[in-house]
Amino acid sequence: MGDKAYGSKAVRGELRHRRSQAVISRKGSPNIKGLGKLRYVVEQTFVLLHQFKRLAVRWERRIELHGAFLSLACSLICWRRLTRVGS
């Protein structure tokens, strides 16, 4: 999902190459209804992940370490949500 700034042919071509479907309004066309609700989930996820400073400012040079910290952060976020709902 993206806004109109990501609607270029190069970006769409790269998404097709990766076998992903783009949900992007084309320039000059009206906005897709309901896209804001879907984008809110993505933006909220970034906010939750940036609570972990190590992910907000990437210090690791190796992608494996960054991926491991990302997985750990997602696990902690889920754990916090589950314990809050359960109590």
Side-chain angles (χ1 to χ4, degrees):
M1 281 179 259
D3 55 8
K4 292 181 182 183
Y6 295 101
S8 69
K9 289 182 182 179
V11 171
R12 288 179 182 273
E14 181 63 29
L15 288 172
R16 269 193 300 279
H17 177 71
R18 294 180 182 206
R19 297 181 180 164
S20 293
Q21 181 182 5
V23 182
I24 305 170
S25 294
R26 296 204 183 269
K27 290 186 181 180
S29 66
N31 291 332
I32 298 173
K33 295 208 183 260
L35 185 60
K37 290 179 184 176
L38 297 174
R39 284 190 50 118
Y40 173 77
V41 175
V42 175
E43 298 295 331
Q44 187 65 28
T45 304
F46 286 140
V47 168
L48 288 171
L49 288 173
H50 281 172
Q51 291 176 354
F52 299 92
K53 189 170 186 108
R54 200 167 191 117
L55 293 175
V57 179
R58 186 173 167 199
W59 290 324
E60 287 79 25
R61 293 184 182 177
R62 293 178 38 204
I63 190 72
E64 301 88 19
L65 287 176
H66 185 72
F69 282 119
L70 184 63
S71 296
L72 183 61
C74 290
S75 300
L76 286 171
I77 290 169
C78 290
W79 175 258
R80 289 175 186 166
R81 293 249 171 146
L82 289 171
T83 56
R84 186 173 61 203
V85 171
S87 57

